[in-house]
Amino acid sequence: MTQEINSFEIVKNLIDTSVKKLNLSKSVCEILSEPQRVLTVTIPVQMDDGSVKVFTGYRSQHNNALGPYKGGIRFHHDVNLDEVKALSTWMTLKCAVANIPYGGGKGGVIVNPKTLSRGELERLSRGYIRAIAPVIGADLDIPAPDVGTNGQVMSWMMDEFARIRGYNEFGVITGKPVIVGGSLGRVEATSRGCVFVIREAARVTGLKLKGATVVVQGFGNVGSIAARLLQQEDGCRVLAVSDSTGGIYNPNGLDIAAVEEHKARTGSVKGFPGSKEISNEELLTLECDILVPAALENQITGQNAGKIKAKIVAEGANGPTTPEADRILAERKILVLPDVLANSGGVTVSYFEWVQNQYGYYWSEEEVNNRLERKMVEAFNNVYSLYSKRKDVDMRGAAYMVAIERISEGMRVRGWLGNQMYADIKREAKPA
Ligand code: NAD
């Protein structure tokens, strides 16, 4: 299902449409259509059996008009250059929607991390950082975790960078364990941010969250914590969850903390006592109030969008909905909370982590969560008010417009868009 859809082409088309709707110069579109820099690296890793295996990795630096490049590192066997470029473009847009002073970047290594031993994973993580070290730094490009990487991987990467530099530069990477400069609340941040946005969406659509039914695709960092928070803090009934091995369903609701324990013990959600097995396809089309796709790209497509029964789709994952599916969901009046808004809590708390690293002064978890809530509510309302005003955009279109307006203003005042700025100076300099 995922092969034939090119996420980079999708995001470029969406940018093109928004630039036209905003009546901006076509140079905005041309600049945002390609990353500013893309690095391809090879990483030789000594395997436990003494052989050397060479891995391929990428770092895409999409745009830094509003601040240093920022974005995660994905370890996955399907990683490819176009995917990394698309993910870096989404990061530029996401940071602008969240109104944080960053541009967008993303990295990836073609590997299934589950096939590596701990030692091999550490050597690969350190090797990747050595390869991209010339183009990263706390004021230049700041990686973070994504699919297949976690706090431990970030910690090895930060340590390798410290060895290269000769001193600790904690702000070079976010998503670190708290003991080495991580932020409290970072592990839950993407999911918590998604929940704040769902609460706002429930408020404006009149959906009562207590007792509302939820289905979550993907039971990793984002999906499992979002499911737990919606159940424990909002009183939602989580009917079904899934991971790459398949899904589980219980019409009376699953005990998410117990499913987490089961997954930690057995390696998958399958076989959870009292649940019925379902396929990922069946899971997406279950009757529910809120559907949270939190796995990978292109899961909701032209083929299954017509069968989706949720009232709200909150995109925990990046790019889970294809443009064709977007059109179908919009026609069917299903409210889609787009990735660049719904999962921006992760990068927002990454920003808080970086701020704390720069100051060397650390906040309480309560302070982090309160600040996150303010940011997410503000971002939702900016996007929602544009969506409500304009009849010709869905929530994704509105989010792109909010983002592109900010990025293009940054590029304009920096002089990247030609002589428009010069014309403004002349106008301002005219005697009254
Ligand atoms: P993760 O590796 O922790 O979890 C991914 C989950 O998806 C796993 O449970 C995996 O088994 C499952 N999965 C993979 N293929 C699947 C399939 N075909 N059907 C159902 N489940 C499948 O990754 P994560 O960090 O939770 O990221 C998930 C998504 O959220 C990605 O799109 C990522 O880019 C996005 N995201 C993550 C963060 C973050 O802070 N971690 C922030 C923003 C966006």
Side-chain angles (χ1 to χ4, degrees):
M1 177 157 58
T2 55
Q3 265 78 21
E4 65 280 9
I5 305 169
N6 183 321
S7 299
F8 190 47
E9 292 305 320
I10 293 176
V11 67
K12 284 198 289 189
N13 283 335
L14 286 166
I15 289 174
D16 187 51
T17 307
S18 303
V19 167
K20 284 185 185 135
K21 282 197 197 302
L22 284 163
N23 253 330
L24 293 169
S25 131
K26 79 174 190 323
S27 358
V28 172
C29 192
E30 280 166 17
I31 294 173
L32 295 179
S33 287
E34 277 300 323
Q36 290 172 329
R37 172 157 55 188
V38 175
L39 189 63
T40 301
V41 296
T42 47
I43 313 149
V45 174
Q46 182 161 351
M47 307 304 279
D48 289 348
D49 65 4
S51 67
V52 170
K53 202 165 164 187
V54 180
F55 294 88
T56 302
Y58 306 102
R59 185 74 190 167
S60 168
Q61 299 179 327
H62 177 256
N63 187 284
N64 66 352
L66 301 182
Y69 306 105
K70 181 86 191 87
I73 297 167
R74 179 172 290 195
F75 282 3
H76 193 272
H77 51 89
D78 281 339
V79 160
N80 61 71
L81 187 52
D82 265 1
E83 181 189 60
V84 175
K85 282 159 79 169
L87 289 162
S88 68
T89 312
W90 277 319
M91 286 308 297
T92 304
L93 296 163
K94 195 181 298 184
C95 292
V97 172
N99 204 6
I100 55 180
Y102 286 143
K106 201 84 178 190
V109 176
I110 306 170
V111 60
N112 178 354
K114 286 187 189 151
T115 62
L116 302 183
S117 71
R118 190 178 161 88
E120 290 166 345
L121 184 63
E122 175 173 352
R123 294 193 286 283
L124 175 65
S125 305
R126 290 182 183 277
Y128 175 70
I129 283 302
R130 280 197 300 281
I132 67 163
V135 299
I136 62 168
D139 292 314
L140 175 56
D141 182 356
I142 310 148
D146 191 67
V147 175
T149 58
N150 57 20
Q152 176 59 75
V153 171
M154 296 306 112
S155 187
W156 289 323
M157 290 180 169
M158 177 277 289
D159 184 70
E160 191 63 25
F161 196 70
R163 289 179 193 205
I164 294 167
R165 281 277 191 273
Y167 55 88
N168 282 335
E169 187 175 314
F170 283 163
V172 67
I173 277 180
T174 58
K176 303 179 293 292
V178 172
I179 191 75
V180 286
S183 176
L184 292 168
R186 174 62 184 86
V187 173
E188 299 82 10
T190 305
S191 317
R192 196 172 280 287
C194 190
V195 170
F196 286 139
V197 167
I198 290 172
R199 284 181 193 159
E200 287 303 290
R203 181 179 61 75
V204 298
T205 57
L207 173 72
K208 221 169 116 246
L209 280 183
K210 197 168 165 46
T213 50
V214 174
V215 167
V216 179
Q217 184 201 39
F219 204 68
N221 177 286
V222 178
S224 65
I225 300 175
R228 176 167 23 100
L229 294 175
L230 285 168
Q231 180 177 65
Q232 291 179 353
E233 298 189 2
D234 296 276
C236 296
R237 188 152 50 98
V238 183
L239 303 181
V241 299
S242 67
D243 59 23
S244 53
T245 64
I248 53 169
Y249 170 63
N250 183 338
N252 300 318
L254 297 158
D255 175 349
I256 296 302
V259 179
E260 283 179 302
E261 271 169 39
H262 175 83
K263 172 147 181 150
R265 206 176 50 250
T266 65
S268 88
V269 297
K270 268 180 32 183
F272 180 68
S275 71
K276 180 176 159 254
E277 267 185 36
I278 51 168
S279 68
N280 261 300
E281 202 50 39
E282 288 169 316
L283 172 133
L284 290 172
T285 57
L286 280 174
E287 187 89 50
C288 66
D289 294 311
I290 302 162
L291 172 64
V292 184
L296 291 171
E297 296 97 80
N298 304 325
Q299 299 299 307
I300 304 178
T301 64
Q303 265 88 56
N304 59 16
K307 293 184 257 167
I308 292 207
K309 300 181 191 75
K311 298 187 180 83
I312 295 172
V313 174
E315 295 185 336
N318 286 312
T321 312
T322 66
E324 198 188 346
D326 257 340
R327 274 189 294 277
I328 298 169
L329 296 179
E331 267 165 33
R332 299 184 54 225
K333 307 266 180 283
I334 295 172
L335 186 68
V336 177
L337 307 175
D339 45 13
V340 290
L341 169 68
N343 68 37
S344 65
V347 74
T348 299
V349 174
S350 271
Y351 164 56
F352 296 162
E353 177 176 336
W354 177 85
V355 168
Q356 293 170 79
N357 291 153
Q358 307 293 72
Y359 275 89
Y361 178 75
Y362 290 85
W363 309 341
S364 68
E365 187 164 354
E366 192 187 1
E367 177 157 12
V368 171
N369 289 344
N370 288 342
R371 285 178 187 267
L372 174 64
E373 181 169 14
R374 284 205 294 278
K375 281 296 222 184
M376 297 305 300
V377 169
E378 187 189 302
F380 175 89
N381 286 306
N382 282 335
V383 173
Y384 190 74
S385 73
L386 185 66
Y387 162 75
S388 313
K389 252 188 258 148
R390 293 192 63 130
K391 299 286 167 250
D392 59 341
V393 288
D394 55 13
M395 282 286 278
R396 191 183 317 281
Y400 272 56
M401 286 169 75
V402 166
I404 290 170
E405 198 152 33
R406 286 190 181 135
I407 300 159
S408 82
E409 181 59 5
M411 296 199 294
R412 189 185 70 83
V413 297
R414 290 180 73 139
W416 297 6
L417 299 179
N419 60 11
Q420 240 177 312
M421 183 65 186
Y422 178 65
D424 287 353
I425 292 169
K426 281 213 299 201
R427 206 170 36 243
E428 280 162 22
K430 261 194 199 156

